[in-house]
């Protein structure tokens, strides 16, 4: 991923979820040798997100405008989200941006 793409993702995350949000990319985009087409993103915040579905839609729409029409998979974990295996996988294999 280019530095401008990373910057756009960070700015979008902070605008939607606040300045303390952590963002990681995981999946095929972590490995430079892979030719993955989609972008898998893990957003994590210690705050409570009142409407997670709305926040995910806001992230998706803003990222599509910023990065172009490409497949973007978004996972969001806030203070009230119960643990799930996908969060562990994203943390273990992802790279924070």
């Amino acid at each position: 991923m280019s530095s401008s793409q990373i910057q756009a993702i960070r700015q979008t995350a902070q605008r939607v979820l606040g300045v303390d949000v952590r963002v990681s990319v995981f999946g095929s985009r972590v490995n430079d040798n892979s030719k993955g087409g989609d972008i898998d993103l893990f957003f994590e915040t210690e705050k409570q997100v009142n409407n997670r579905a709305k926040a995910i839609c806001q992230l998706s729409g803003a990222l599509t405008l910023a990065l172009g029409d490409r497949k973007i998979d978004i996972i969001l974990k806030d203070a009230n989200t119960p643990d799930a295996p996908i969060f562990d996988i994203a943390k273990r294999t992802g790279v924070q941006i």
Side-chain angles (χ1 to χ4, degrees), residues 20-33:
D20 295 331
V21 66
R22 291 180 302 280
V23 183
S24 297
V25 62
F26 68 102
S28 60
R29 291 290 176 137
V30 173
N31 184 349
D32 288 337
N33 295 326

Side-chain angles (χ1 to χ4, degrees), residues 4-20:
S4 63
Q5 290 173 319
I6 292 169
Q7 175 116 1
I9 293 168
R10 277 193 211 138
Q11 288 175 343
T12 299
Q14 290 176 352
R15 187 172 64 249
V16 173
L17 298 170
V19 295
D20 295 331

Side-chain angles (χ1 to χ4, degrees), residues 52-65:
R52 290 180 68 249
K54 180 179 178 182
I56 290 169
C57 288
Q58 289 174 326
L59 289 166
S60 179
L63 290 171
T64 298
L65 288 173

Side-chain angles (χ1 to χ4, degrees), residues 33-80:
N33 295 326
S34 293
K35 297 287 185 183
D38 67 338
I39 301 173
D40 300 310
L41 297 172
F42 175 50
F43 297 86
E44 187 174 23
T45 180
E46 300 300 321
K47 296 186 326 184
Q48 177 182 342
V49 176
N50 291 330
N51 188 333
R52 290 180 68 249
K54 180 179 178 182
I56 290 169
C57 288
Q58 289 174 326
L59 289 166
S60 179
L63 290 171
T64 298
L65 288 173
L67 303 176
D69 189 22
R70 61 182 63 215
K71 181 141 174 37
I72 302 171
D73 294 328
I74 295 172
I75 297 173
L76 171 59
K77 182 169 185 348
D78 74 339
N80 291 336

